[in-house]
mmCIF file of all heavy atoms in Angstrom:
data_model
loop_
_atom_site.group_PDB
_atom_site.id
_atom_site.type_symbol
_atom_site.label_atom_id
_atom_site.label_comp_id
_atom_site.label_asym_id
_atom_site.label_seq_id
_atom_site.Cartn_x
_atom_site.Cartn_y
_atom_site.Cartn_z
ATOM 1 N N ARG B 670 74.231 40.283 35.271
ATOM 2 C CA ARG B 670 73.855 40.469 36.670
ATOM 3 C C ARG B 670 75.057 40.471 37.618
ATOM 4 O O ARG B 670 74.935 40.149 38.795
ATOM 5 C CB ARG B 670 72.835 39.412 37.096
ATOM 6 C CG ARG B 670 71.589 39.399 36.223
ATOM 7 C CD ARG B 670 70.672 38.262 36.597
ATOM 8 N NE ARG B 670 69.869 38.561 37.762
ATOM 9 C CZ ARG B 670 68.712 39.188 37.726
ATOM 10 N NH1 ARG B 670 68.238 39.635 36.592
ATOM 11 N NH2 ARG B 670 68.033 39.402 38.836
ATOM 12 N N LYS B 671 76.218 40.840 37.092
ATOM 13 C CA LYS B 671 77.423 40.926 37.914
ATOM 14 C C LYS B 671 78.024 42.324 37.789
ATOM 15 O O LYS B 671 77.625 43.104 36.930
ATOM 16 C CB LYS B 671 78.468 39.905 37.440
ATOM 17 C CG LYS B 671 77.997 38.475 37.502
ATOM 18 C CD LYS B 671 78.089 37.943 38.896
ATOM 19 C CE LYS B 671 77.835 36.448 38.912
ATOM 20 N NZ LYS B 671 77.898 35.890 40.268
ATOM 21 N N GLU B 672 79.013 42.595 38.659
ATOM 22 C CA GLU B 672 79.686 43.878 38.582
ATOM 23 C C GLU B 672 80.692 43.892 37.435
ATOM 24 O O GLU B 672 81.173 42.849 36.998
ATOM 25 C CB GLU B 672 80.391 44.187 39.910
ATOM 26 C CG GLU B 672 81.718 43.482 40.125
ATOM 27 C CD GLU B 672 81.566 42.074 40.671
ATOM 28 O OE1 GLU B 672 80.483 41.474 40.525
ATOM 29 O OE2 GLU B 672 82.550 41.576 41.223
ATOM 30 N N PRO B 673 81.060 45.065 36.927
ATOM 31 C CA PRO B 673 82.094 45.134 35.890
ATOM 32 C C PRO B 673 83.458 44.769 36.464
ATOM 33 O O PRO B 673 83.746 45.075 37.618
ATOM 34 C CB PRO B 673 82.087 46.609 35.460
ATOM 35 C CG PRO B 673 81.134 47.313 36.316
ATOM 36 C CD PRO B 673 80.538 46.377 37.298
ATOM 37 N N LYS B 674 84.260 44.150 35.635
ATOM 38 C CA LYS B 674 85.620 43.796 36.051
ATOM 39 C C LYS B 674 86.601 44.337 35.019
ATOM 40 O O LYS B 674 86.375 44.216 33.818
ATOM 41 C CB LYS B 674 85.768 42.279 36.191
ATOM 42 C CG LYS B 674 84.886 41.737 37.302
ATOM 43 C CD LYS B 674 85.255 40.344 37.710
ATOM 44 C CE LYS B 674 84.424 39.969 38.928
ATOM 45 N NZ LYS B 674 84.553 38.584 39.325
ATOM 46 N N LEU B 675 87.669 44.919 35.515
ATOM 47 C CA LEU B 675 88.660 45.529 34.637
ATOM 48 C C LEU B 675 89.302 44.464 33.765
ATOM 49 O O LEU B 675 89.853 43.479 34.263
ATOM 50 C CB LEU B 675 89.726 46.254 35.460
ATOM 51 C CG LEU B 675 90.844 46.923 34.668
ATOM 52 C CD1 LEU B 675 90.286 48.040 33.780
ATOM 53 C CD2 LEU B 675 91.905 47.466 35.609
ATOM 54 N N LEU B 676 89.226 44.666 32.452
ATOM 55 C CA LEU B 676 89.873 43.765 31.513
ATOM 56 C C LEU B 676 91.279 44.265 31.206
ATOM 57 O O LEU B 676 92.251 43.539 31.327
ATOM 58 C CB LEU B 676 89.031 43.689 30.239
ATOM 59 C CG LEU B 676 89.504 42.764 29.136
ATOM 60 C CD1 LEU B 676 89.473 41.323 29.587
ATOM 61 C CD2 LEU B 676 88.650 42.941 27.877
ATOM 62 N N MET B 677 91.362 45.518 30.804
ATOM 63 C CA MET B 677 92.672 46.089 30.553
ATOM 64 C C MET B 677 92.579 47.604 30.401
ATOM 65 O O MET B 677 91.540 48.130 30.033
ATOM 66 C CB MET B 677 93.314 45.488 29.302
ATOM 67 C CG MET B 677 92.528 45.629 28.024
ATOM 68 S SD MET B 677 93.070 44.490 26.717
ATOM 69 C CE MET B 677 94.815 44.839 26.575
ATOM 70 N N SER B 678 93.680 48.258 30.720
ATOM 71 C CA SER B 678 93.794 49.684 30.439
ATOM 72 C C SER B 678 94.200 49.831 28.979
ATOM 73 O O SER B 678 94.683 48.890 28.357
ATOM 74 C CB SER B 678 94.854 50.312 31.337
ATOM 75 O OG SER B 678 94.529 50.132 32.697
ATOM 76 N N VAL B 679 93.985 51.014 28.442
ATOM 77 C CA VAL B 679 94.302 51.252 27.036
ATOM 78 C C VAL B 679 95.290 52.400 26.937
ATOM 79 O O VAL B 679 95.041 53.480 27.483
ATOM 80 C CB VAL B 679 93.033 51.611 26.227
ATOM 81 C CG1 VAL B 679 93.352 51.651 24.733
ATOM 82 C CG2 VAL B 679 91.911 50.633 26.506
ATOM 83 N N TYR B 680 96.395 52.183 26.231
ATOM 84 C CA TYR B 680 97.431 53.195 26.109
ATOM 85 C C TYR B 680 97.592 53.600 24.649
ATOM 86 O O TYR B 680 97.273 52.827 23.738
ATOM 87 C CB TYR B 680 98.766 52.656 26.657
ATOM 88 C CG TYR B 680 98.660 52.147 28.067
ATOM 89 C CD1 TYR B 680 98.823 50.797 28.363
ATOM 90 C CD2 TYR B 680 98.374 53.020 29.114
ATOM 91 C CE1 TYR B 680 98.707 50.326 29.654
ATOM 92 C CE2 TYR B 680 98.255 52.557 30.409
ATOM 93 C CZ TYR B 680 98.423 51.216 30.675
ATOM 94 O OH TYR B 680 98.307 50.758 31.960
ATOM 95 N N SER B 681 98.111 54.802 24.462
ATOM 96 C CA SER B 681 98.262 55.325 23.105
ATOM 97 C C SER B 681 99.151 54.436 22.245
ATOM 98 O O SER B 681 98.972 54.341 21.033
ATOM 99 C CB SER B 681 98.861 56.731 23.152
ATOM 100 O OG SER B 681 97.992 57.612 23.798
ATOM 101 N N SER B 682 100.097 53.780 22.876
ATOM 102 C CA SER B 682 101.020 52.934 22.127
ATOM 103 C C SER B 682 100.392 51.584 21.789
ATOM 104 O O SER B 682 100.989 50.778 21.082
ATOM 105 C CB SER B 682 102.289 52.730 22.949
ATOM 106 O OG SER B 682 101.970 52.230 24.229
ATOM 107 N N GLY B 683 99.201 51.350 22.301
ATOM 108 C CA GLY B 683 98.569 50.049 22.098
ATOM 109 C C GLY B 683 99.119 49.050 23.085
ATOM 110 O O GLY B 683 100.289 49.134 23.465
ATOM 111 N N ASN B 684 98.300 48.175 23.552
ATOM 112 C CA ASN B 684 98.793 47.171 24.479
ATOM 113 C C ASN B 684 98.050 45.855 24.280
ATOM 114 O O ASN B 684 96.928 45.822 23.793
ATOM 115 C CB ASN B 684 98.703 47.657 25.931
ATOM 116 C CG ASN B 684 97.366 48.232 26.298
ATOM 117 O OD1 ASN B 684 96.910 49.192 25.674
ATOM 118 N ND2 ASN B 684 96.720 47.664 27.300
ATOM 119 N N GLU B 685 98.756 44.802 24.650
ATOM 120 C CA GLU B 685 98.266 43.452 24.403
ATOM 121 C C GLU B 685 98.346 42.654 25.693
ATOM 122 O O GLU B 685 99.292 42.786 26.468
ATOM 123 C CB GLU B 685 99.151 42.811 23.324
ATOM 124 C CG GLU B 685 98.669 41.485 22.796
ATOM 125 C CD GLU B 685 99.523 41.012 21.624
ATOM 126 O OE1 GLU B 685 99.727 41.794 20.678
ATOM 127 O OE2 GLU B 685 99.997 39.866 21.676
ATOM 128 N N ASP B 686 97.328 41.830 25.903
ATOM 129 C CA ASP B 686 97.334 40.946 27.067
ATOM 130 C C ASP B 686 96.770 39.614 26.601
ATOM 131 O O ASP B 686 95.554 39.451 26.510
ATOM 132 C CB ASP B 686 96.485 41.546 28.189
ATOM 133 C CG ASP B 686 96.506 40.691 29.444
ATOM 134 O OD1 ASP B 686 97.196 39.654 29.459
ATOM 135 O OD2 ASP B 686 95.833 41.063 30.424
ATOM 136 N N GLY B 687 97.663 38.714 26.240
ATOM 137 C CA GLY B 687 97.206 37.425 25.735
ATOM 138 C C GLY B 687 96.454 37.581 24.432
ATOM 139 O O GLY B 687 96.964 38.137 23.462
ATOM 140 N N ARG B 688 95.208 37.138 24.434
ATOM 141 C CA ARG B 688 94.406 37.193 23.211
ATOM 142 C C ARG B 688 93.754 38.561 22.988
ATOM 143 O O ARG B 688 93.057 38.752 22.007
ATOM 144 C CB ARG B 688 93.322 36.117 23.294
ATOM 145 C CG ARG B 688 93.851 34.701 23.382
ATOM 146 C CD ARG B 688 92.726 33.666 23.431
ATOM 147 N NE ARG B 688 91.959 33.737 24.665
ATOM 148 C CZ ARG B 688 90.711 34.196 24.742
ATOM 149 N NH1 ARG B 688 90.082 34.615 23.661
ATOM 150 N NH2 ARG B 688 90.075 34.197 25.905
ATOM 151 N N PHE B 689 93.957 39.454 23.908
ATOM 152 C CA PHE B 689 93.288 40.760 23.869
ATOM 153 C C PHE B 689 94.270 41.866 23.507
ATOM 154 O O PHE B 689 95.351 41.949 24.082
ATOM 155 C CB PHE B 689 92.664 41.067 25.239
ATOM 156 C CG PHE B 689 91.629 40.076 25.677
ATOM 157 C CD1 PHE B 689 92.001 38.910 26.332
ATOM 158 C CD2 PHE B 689 90.296 40.298 25.413
ATOM 159 C CE1 PHE B 689 91.055 37.990 26.716
ATOM 160 C CE2 PHE B 689 89.339 39.380 25.809
ATOM 161 C CZ PHE B 689 89.720 38.220 26.467
ATOM 162 N N THR B 690 93.868 42.705 22.549
ATOM 163 C CA THR B 690 94.686 43.844 22.150
ATOM 164 C C THR B 690 93.822 45.097 22.167
ATOM 165 O O THR B 690 92.730 45.097 21.600
ATOM 166 C CB THR B 690 95.261 43.646 20.733
ATOM 167 O OG1 THR B 690 96.044 42.468 20.699
ATOM 168 C CG2 THR B 690 96.119 44.850 20.330
ATOM 169 N N ALA B 691 94.312 46.134 22.805
ATOM 170 C CA ALA B 691 93.577 47.393 22.876
ATOM 171 C C ALA B 691 94.380 48.487 22.182
ATOM 172 O O ALA B 691 95.606 48.504 22.235
ATOM 173 C CB ALA B 691 93.318 47.771 24.328
ATOM 174 N N GLN B 692 93.655 49.380 21.528
ATOM 175 C CA GLN B 692 94.295 50.494 20.829
ATOM 176 C C GLN B 692 93.559 51.781 21.168
ATOM 177 O O GLN B 692 92.342 51.772 21.354
ATOM 178 C CB GLN B 692 94.223 50.287 19.302
ATOM 179 C CG GLN B 692 95.013 49.118 18.776
ATOM 180 C CD GLN B 692 96.463 49.477 18.499
ATOM 181 O OE1 GLN B 692 96.860 50.631 18.626
ATOM 182 N NE2 GLN B 692 97.254 48.487 18.135
ATOM 183 N N LEU B 693 94.310 52.864 21.203
ATOM 184 C CA LEU B 693 93.731 54.181 21.465
ATOM 185 C C LEU B 693 94.198 55.135 20.379
ATOM 186 O O LEU B 693 95.385 55.190 20.076
ATOM 187 C CB LEU B 693 94.193 54.693 22.831
ATOM 188 C CG LEU B 693 93.975 56.178 23.141
ATOM 189 C CD1 LEU B 693 92.498 56.511 23.194
ATOM 190 C CD2 LEU B 693 94.665 56.552 24.443
ATOM 191 N N ASN B 694 93.263 55.862 19.811
ATOM 192 C CA ASN B 694 93.601 56.902 18.836
ATOM 193 C C ASN B 694 93.050 58.216 19.384
ATOM 194 O O ASN B 694 91.863 58.512 19.274
ATOM 195 C CB ASN B 694 92.976 56.581 17.478
ATOM 196 C CG ASN B 694 93.369 57.575 16.404
ATOM 197 O OD1 ASN B 694 93.463 58.793 16.662
ATOM 198 N ND2 ASN B 694 93.609 57.103 15.200
ATOM 199 N N ARG B 695 93.936 59.002 19.998
ATOM 200 C CA ARG B 695 93.485 60.247 20.645
ATOM 201 C C ARG B 695 92.990 61.258 19.613
ATOM 202 O O ARG B 695 92.043 62.001 19.870
ATOM 203 C CB ARG B 695 94.619 60.870 21.456
ATOM 204 C CG ARG B 695 94.880 60.179 22.776
ATOM 205 C CD ARG B 695 95.869 60.977 23.597
ATOM 206 N NE ARG B 695 96.212 60.331 24.847
ATOM 207 C CZ ARG B 695 95.552 60.537 25.985
ATOM 208 N NH1 ARG B 695 94.523 61.348 26.016
ATOM 209 N NH2 ARG B 695 95.934 59.927 27.093
ATOM 210 N N ALA B 696 93.618 61.287 18.462
ATOM 211 C CA ALA B 696 93.222 62.284 17.446
ATOM 212 C C ALA B 696 91.784 62.044 17.008
ATOM 213 O O ALA B 696 91.013 62.988 16.811
ATOM 214 C CB ALA B 696 94.169 62.214 16.255
ATOM 215 N N SER B 697 91.426 60.784 16.852
ATOM 216 C CA SER B 697 90.066 60.442 16.418
ATOM 217 C C SER B 697 89.136 60.172 17.584
ATOM 218 O O SER B 697 87.945 59.922 17.373
ATOM 219 C CB SER B 697 90.100 59.220 15.504
ATOM 220 O OG SER B 697 90.934 59.454 14.390
ATOM 221 N N GLN B 698 89.671 60.176 18.797
ATOM 222 C CA GLN B 698 88.873 59.905 20.011
ATOM 223 C C GLN B 698 88.172 58.568 19.872
ATOM 224 O O GLN B 698 86.942 58.455 20.001
ATOM 225 C CB GLN B 698 87.906 61.074 20.277
ATOM 226 C CG GLN B 698 88.664 62.339 20.607
ATOM 227 C CD GLN B 698 87.780 63.550 20.896
ATOM 228 O OE1 GLN B 698 88.232 64.672 20.852
ATOM 229 N NE2 GLN B 698 86.524 63.327 21.189
ATOM 230 N N TYR B 699 88.989 57.569 19.654
ATOM 231 C CA TYR B 699 88.505 56.252 19.271
ATOM 232 C C TYR B 699 89.326 55.191 20.012
ATOM 233 O O TYR B 699 90.540 55.301 20.129
ATOM 234 C CB TYR B 699 88.697 56.164 17.757
ATOM 235 C CG TYR B 699 88.539 54.843 17.101
ATOM 236 C CD1 TYR B 699 87.336 54.489 16.510
ATOM 237 C CD2 TYR B 699 89.609 53.971 17.011
ATOM 238 C CE1 TYR B 699 87.204 53.289 15.840
ATOM 239 C CE2 TYR B 699 89.483 52.758 16.350
ATOM 240 C CZ TYR B 699 88.276 52.434 15.754
ATOM 241 O OH TYR B 699 88.144 51.249 15.098
ATOM 242 N N ILE B 700 88.621 54.188 20.529
ATOM 243 C CA ILE B 700 89.279 53.102 21.263
ATOM 244 C C ILE B 700 88.801 51.792 20.665
ATOM 245 O O ILE B 700 87.631 51.679 20.277
ATOM 246 C CB ILE B 700 88.882 53.148 22.745
ATOM 247 C CG1 ILE B 700 89.154 54.525 23.346
ATOM 248 C CG2 ILE B 700 89.609 52.094 23.556
ATOM 249 C CD1 ILE B 700 88.384 54.766 24.636
ATOM 250 N N SER B 701 89.676 50.812 20.606
ATOM 251 C CA SER B 701 89.261 49.521 20.071
ATOM 252 C C SER B 701 89.739 48.391 20.971
ATOM 253 O O SER B 701 90.674 48.538 21.753
ATOM 254 C CB SER B 701 89.810 49.332 18.655
ATOM 255 O OG SER B 701 91.226 49.236 18.688
ATOM 256 N N LEU B 702 89.042 47.267 20.848
ATOM 257 C CA LEU B 702 89.427 46.044 21.550
ATOM 258 C C LEU B 702 89.329 44.906 20.556
ATOM 259 O O LEU B 702 88.297 44.738 19.899
ATOM 260 C CB LEU B 702 88.504 45.778 22.745
ATOM 261 C CG LEU B 702 88.742 44.465 23.486
ATOM 262 C CD1 LEU B 702 90.088 44.503 24.221
ATOM 263 C CD2 LEU B 702 87.616 44.189 24.488
ATOM 264 N N LEU B 703 90.400 44.144 20.439
ATOM 265 C CA LEU B 703 90.434 42.998 19.535
ATOM 266 C C LEU B 703 90.581 41.735 20.374
ATOM 267 O O LEU B 703 91.454 41.663 21.242
ATOM 268 C CB LEU B 703 91.625 43.125 18.570
ATOM 269 C CG LEU B 703 91.763 42.036 17.511
ATOM 270 C CD1 LEU B 703 90.766 42.281 16.398
ATOM 271 C CD2 LEU B 703 93.183 42.016 16.954
ATOM 272 N N ILE B 704 89.727 40.773 20.119
ATOM 273 C CA ILE B 704 89.821 39.481 20.809
ATOM 274 C C ILE B 704 90.112 38.416 19.758
ATOM 275 O O ILE B 704 89.334 38.232 18.814
ATOM 276 C CB ILE B 704 88.509 39.137 21.543
ATOM 277 C CG1 ILE B 704 88.122 40.256 22.515
ATOM 278 C CG2 ILE B 704 88.657 37.809 22.298
ATOM 279 C CD1 ILE B 704 86.776 40.029 23.208
ATOM 280 N N ARG B 705 91.218 37.737 19.938
ATOM 281 C CA ARG B 705 91.589 36.671 19.010
ATOM 282 C C ARG B 705 91.209 35.320 19.593
ATOM 283 O O ARG B 705 91.136 35.148 20.824
ATOM 284 C CB ARG B 705 93.106 36.695 18.737
ATOM 285 C CG ARG B 705 93.575 37.863 17.901
ATOM 286 C CD ARG B 705 95.091 37.788 17.676
ATOM 287 N NE ARG B 705 95.812 37.857 18.951
ATOM 288 C CZ ARG B 705 96.093 38.977 19.562
ATOM 289 N NH1 ARG B 705 95.723 40.142 19.054
ATOM 290 N NH2 ARG B 705 96.746 38.964 20.710
ATOM 291 N N ASP B 706 90.988 34.346 18.710
ATOM 292 C CA ASP B 706 90.722 32.973 19.154
ATOM 293 C C ASP B 706 89.650 32.948 20.254
ATOM 294 O O ASP B 706 89.880 32.483 21.378
ATOM 295 C CB ASP B 706 92.024 32.329 19.663
ATOM 296 C CG ASP B 706 91.878 30.843 19.936
ATOM 297 O OD1 ASP B 706 90.972 30.221 19.355
ATOM 298 O OD2 ASP B 706 92.666 30.316 20.741
ATOM 299 N N SER B 707 88.481 33.474 19.940
ATOM 300 C CA SER B 707 87.398 33.616 20.931
ATOM 301 C C SER B 707 87.084 32.288 21.617
ATOM 302 O O SER B 707 87.036 31.233 20.983
ATOM 303 C CB SER B 707 86.128 34.131 20.241
ATOM 304 O OG SER B 707 86.356 35.362 19.619
ATOM 305 N N LYS B 708 86.838 32.394 22.914
ATOM 306 C CA LYS B 708 86.429 31.246 23.713
ATOM 307 C C LYS B 708 84.978 31.442 24.151
ATOM 308 O O LYS B 708 84.491 32.563 24.225
ATOM 309 C CB LYS B 708 87.301 31.124 24.975
ATOM 310 C CG LYS B 708 88.800 31.208 24.741
ATOM 311 C CD LYS B 708 89.330 29.985 24.090
ATOM 312 C CE LYS B 708 90.853 30.060 23.957
ATOM 313 N NZ LYS B 708 91.375 29.036 23.033
ATOM 314 N N LEU B 709 84.336 30.347 24.483
ATOM 315 C CA LEU B 709 82.963 30.442 24.985
ATOM 316 C C LEU B 709 82.908 31.349 26.210
ATOM 317 O O LEU B 709 81.943 32.102 26.408
ATOM 318 C CB LEU B 709 82.417 29.055 25.339
ATOM 319 C CG LEU B 709 82.211 28.080 24.184
ATOM 320 C CD1 LEU B 709 81.770 26.724 24.704
ATOM 321 C CD2 LEU B 709 81.196 28.621 23.181
ATOM 322 N N SER B 710 83.945 31.295 27.019
ATOM 323 C CA SER B 710 83.989 32.066 28.259
ATOM 324 C C SER B 710 84.163 33.568 28.016
ATOM 325 O O SER B 710 84.060 34.359 28.950
ATOM 326 C CB SER B 710 85.121 31.572 29.154
ATOM 327 O OG SER B 710 86.355 31.628 28.458
ATOM 328 N N ASP B 711 84.429 33.940 26.769
ATOM 329 C CA ASP B 711 84.533 35.367 26.459
ATOM 330 C C ASP B 711 83.154 36.013 26.326
ATOM 331 O O ASP B 711 83.042 37.240 26.233
ATOM 332 C CB ASP B 711 85.303 35.588 25.144
ATOM 333 C CG ASP B 711 86.772 35.185 25.237
ATOM 334 O OD1 ASP B 711 87.322 35.210 26.359
ATOM 335 O OD2 ASP B 711 87.352 34.838 24.186
ATOM 336 N N SER B 712 82.104 35.216 26.282
ATOM 337 C CA SER B 712 80.745 35.753 26.148
ATOM 338 C C SER B 712 80.444 36.651 27.345
ATOM 339 O O SER B 712 80.490 36.199 28.492
ATOM 340 C CB SER B 712 79.720 34.616 26.076
ATOM 341 O OG SER B 712 79.944 33.816 24.941
#
Side-chain angles (χ1 to χ4, degrees):
Chain B
R670 304 175 80 86
K671 300 280 189 181
E672 79 276 21
K674 295 195 173 172
L675 179 63
L676 182 64
M677 58 198 305
S678 301
V679 188
Y680 305 114
S681 296
S682 54
N684 49 302
E685 189 173 309
D686 182 2
R688 298 181 292 109
F689 299 85
T690 301
Q692 294 274 356
L693 166 65
N694 184 321
R695 283 188 183 269
S697 303
Q698 295 180 198
Y699 168 97
I700 306 161
S701 66
L702 175 68
L703 183 77
I704 304 176
R705 289 181 299 277
D706 189 23
S707 301
K708 311 288 184 194
L709 294 176
S710 56
D711 293 334
S712 298

